[in-house]
Amino acid sequence: MTNHSETTGSSENGDVPGPATPGGTAHPPYGTPGDEHQITLRTPAELADALPYLLGYRPEDSIVLAALRDRDGRGRFGGRARLGIPANADDWAGAAGQLVHGLVTGSERRGARPERMVAYLCQEPARGETGREVMERLRPLAQKLRVECGALDVPVVEALCVSAGRFWSYCCDDAVCCPAEGTLMGLPGTSVLAAAATYAGIQVRGSLSELRARLLPMENAAAHEQEAALDAVAMTVVSRILDGTGRSDVAEETLDLAQRAMRRLTEAPPVSGVPAEDLRDDQLLGHDEAAALILGLQDRTTRDRAAEWMEGDEARPALRLWRALARRCVGPYGEHAAAPLTLAGWVAWSTGDELEAREALAMALGADPDYLFARLLHQACNEGLDPESVRRCLRTERGDRGGPGGGVSDGEEQVGAPGQSEPAGDSCAPPTSPGRRRRTRSVASADGVRRRARTQDRASGAKIGRPRTPAGGERPGVARTGRTRSRASGTAATDRMDACAEGAVRGEPGTEGGGERL
């Protein structure tokens, strides 16, 4: 579940042990199945301290639910889900219902229905507001969460508000353990749980805003130079992509350029700190080079071939490159970020980083809500599915071409009406049937951009700009013929990739890419 750029995740992996102890009432300890070392959490303070370790980051402006289930006489944390707190209180009931039902039904699909729930509300005070005032203001939201959980027979055993370095319990009225002024949170990394998590290799990152900063378009002086480069390159690259005879040449040039950039990133000397790493990568990528890569990746066949760099020594430099390209999708080219963001999310998920995967894929949907590959991957990642089925699909496509240097099929150029989006085909089904033609994405559909610009409020404030119209010319990426528009990159192999991703979401068997059964 996601409210556009906001991420939610539910997972049965990386659980952190602990019990729920509302109001001083003892409950069985909750622990991680199969873990040799377990920690017992018995107080609201210990539950508050556990939150970053449950998610892998420190949530901001968030509703978080953690499911609890019993196994072998011991209670354990199960799935978790997060949603941004709606600014309008009228939306709280809908958000509470969405989050609770999503987590419970998702857990049921995995065969582990929650038996209890712990709820967290995390929000920093506004100007002139105190942490206690935040807690009181959010009390109706906490009550709505308890009502929604109770309606599904999953009682909330503890509900905490975390604000201004303190926490409050909505379930405990004992002034000894839960004073009215709140209880100070411990210093990060100083608790027994923090020590155990460090020993177990569990990392807690900063906030989601810090993670998003690595993927957001740059806003410095270089952004104007990058936009000018995109304008210039679009005039030639887009027309070549739309031309059936030139598209395979653009694909080969794009992939070759990406591989050279990846080698450059691999050979770069290491630096200390995430901001310094991103700055180094930005300096290693020229504006014209980035523009050619961004526009070349708008072709779905090229994108899917780039997605094959998902494991081994290729994965890390590929992820760094996709992040850097997402940061270069500036100004009116914001919608173009869907391709590099989807690739970044896919590589992160393939290599086990579900947190960055969910965030990158959610941001890809914020850039282009109709981007099918991102939507399917986001759903599969949120549901805790195994990415191996999609990896097998990509390996098969790569093998069918005879390895990394295989050619790109031009395919048949498709023609569709303005505003049409990618099809959500049957799970891993053959992409075409007699008498039927697949609709495909345009490189930059002007009508689609206008439609998404009207609905930009749904994308958590992300503004989608219109492609710039050069003087005396068509908008980049649009080739008009009467009332229709030529659509690039409609190959059968690409449609099989989207169908393969859909098959991973549904968990259904099917045939794709040379007959491998998933």
Side-chain angles (χ1 to χ4, degrees):
M1 289 170 298
T2 162
N3 48 349
H4 300 282
S5 293
E6 303 293 338
T7 302
T8 66
S10 56
S11 172
E12 294 294 329
N13 302 318
D15 295 353
V16 177
T21 313
T25 303
H27 283 267
Y30 289 85
T32 303
D35 280 0
E36 181 180 354
H37 303 286
Q38 295 187 357
I39 301 172
T40 299
L41 308 179
R42 298 191 179 280
T43 67
E46 290 171 337
L47 283 173
D49 183 68
L51 178 57
Y53 302 95
L54 289 171
L55 298 178
Y57 62 93
R58 302 186 185 281
E60 301 172 314
D61 197 27
S62 300
I63 311 167
V64 180
L65 290 179
L68 304 173
R69 49 182 167 72
D70 290 332
R71 180 181 292 182
D72 300 328
R74 294 185 61 84
R76 306 181 190 279
F77 278 113
R80 282 85 70 191
R82 189 201 72 86
L83 196 67
I85 298 176
N88 190 334
D90 293 339
D91 298 327
W92 288 356
Q98 177 187 358
L99 197 64
V100 171
H101 285 76
L103 180 55
V104 172
T105 56
S107 298
E108 288 175 337
R109 283 197 299 270
R110 293 188 297 272
R113 190 179 196 277
E115 298 175 0
R116 304 184 188 93
M117 203 78 76
V118 175
Y120 299 86
L121 300 178
C122 306
Q123 190 174 76
E124 289 304 299
R127 185 183 298 273
E129 191 177 29
T130 66
R132 177 173 174 79
E133 289 171 340
V134 172
M135 182 271 294
E136 293 294 349
R137 176 168 52 80
L138 297 180
R139 187 182 291 276
L141 176 56
Q143 182 60 23
K144 293 180 189 300
L145 289 168
R146 297 175 73 178
V147 169
E148 291 288 346
C149 288
L152 296 179
D153 294 325
V154 184
V156 174
V157 294
E158 182 61 277
L160 300 174
C161 177
V162 180
S163 181
R166 294 176 176 266
F167 72 87
W168 290 261
S169 171
Y170 291 112
C171 299
C172 177
D173 56 5
D174 188 342
V176 175
C177 66
C178 299
E181 66 274 13
T183 304
L184 279 171
M185 299 283 294
L187 292 175
T190 59
S191 66
V192 174
L193 175 59
T198 301
Y199 179 78
I202 299 174
Q203 296 182 349
V204 175
R205 306 188 190 185
S207 63
L208 282 183
S209 60
E210 293 170 340
L211 180 59
R212 288 192 193 106
R214 308 192 71 182
L215 302 169
L216 288 171
M218 59 175 62
E219 296 181 347
N220 51 24
H224 299 290
E225 299 175 11
Q226 183 62 67
E227 184 178 336
L230 284 161
D231 284 340
V233 173
M235 296 301 296
T236 57
V237 169
V238 172
S239 62
R240 293 177 65 202
I241 291 177
L242 293 174
D243 179 4
T245 60
R247 188 161 62 85
S248 66
D249 291 339
V250 173
E252 293 298 341
E253 292 166 9
T254 300
L255 294 168
D256 180 66
L257 184 59
Q259 288 177 318
R260 285 188 275 120
M262 287 165 56
R263 286 195 295 271
R264 197 182 315 141
L265 294 175
T266 301
E267 295 166 359
V271 294
S272 178
V274 169
E277 290 176 356
D278 290 343
L279 178 61
R280 172 204 57 197
D281 292 350
D282 288 338
Q283 292 172 342
L284 292 171
L285 197 63
H287 294 310
D288 291 340
E289 185 179 32
L293 287 168
I294 290 168
L295 292 163
L297 290 171
Q298 303 310 304
D299 177 89
R300 291 195 299 142
T301 303
T302 309
R303 177 207 67 190
D304 288 346
R305 286 188 60 186
E308 294 168 4
W309 304 324
M310 61 193 168
E311 54 193 347
D313 294 337
E314 295 174 325
R316 179 167 174 76
L319 179 56
R320 289 167 59 187
L321 178 60
W322 308 145
R323 289 189 193 124
L325 292 179
R327 295 193 292 269
R328 300 298 187 98
C329 295
V330 297
Y333 292 90
E335 186 182 51
H336 289 64
L341 285 170
T342 300
L343 289 170
W346 160 237
V347 176
W349 185 35
S350 178
T351 55
D353 189 347
E354 294 186 5
L355 174 60
E356 181 166 1
R358 287 194 298 266
E359 192 60 26
L361 293 168
M363 292 176 69
L365 292 173
D368 183 353
D370 294 330
Y371 208 73
L372 180 61
F373 197 36
R375 186 165 69 245
L376 294 171
L377 291 176
H378 187 249
Q379 181 180 350
C381 182
N382 270 348
E383 293 183 359
L385 303 182
D386 189 346
E388 178 59 22
S389 61
V390 184
R391 282 196 293 258
R392 285 203 304 268
C393 179
L394 288 165
R395 292 189 199 110
T396 300
E397 293 291 339
R398 192 172 191 172
D400 287 347
R401 292 193 314 273
V408 177
S409 170
D410 284 338
E412 178 185 11
E413 185 174 302
Q414 305 293 329
V415 179
Q420 290 177 335
S421 61
E422 300 174 55
D426 294 336
S427 168
C428 292
T432 58
S433 59
R436 181 183 175 193
R437 304 187 72 182
R438 288 276 185 177
R439 296 191 302 269
T440 56
R441 273 183 53 82
S442 66
V443 173
S445 167
D447 288 344
V449 170
R450 283 193 289 270
R451 173 169 51 80
R452 291 176 197 115
R454 288 195 297 268
T455 58
Q456 62 186 351
D457 288 343
R458 295 189 308 156
S460 300
K463 295 187 186 228
I464 307 299
R466 294 178 174 85
R468 173 172 296 177
T469 305
E474 293 287 343
R475 288 187 176 89
V478 178
R480 295 187 180 276
T481 306
R483 296 175 60 86
T484 63
R485 178 180 298 118
S486 296
R487 304 282 173 141
S489 63
T491 67
T494 300
D495 284 340
R496 282 199 296 272
M497 268 308 307
D498 287 341
C500 178
E502 186 172 2
V505 171
R506 294 183 180 180
E508 297 174 356
T511 303
E512 68 78 32
E516 181 178 359
R517 301 292 293 182
L518 300 185

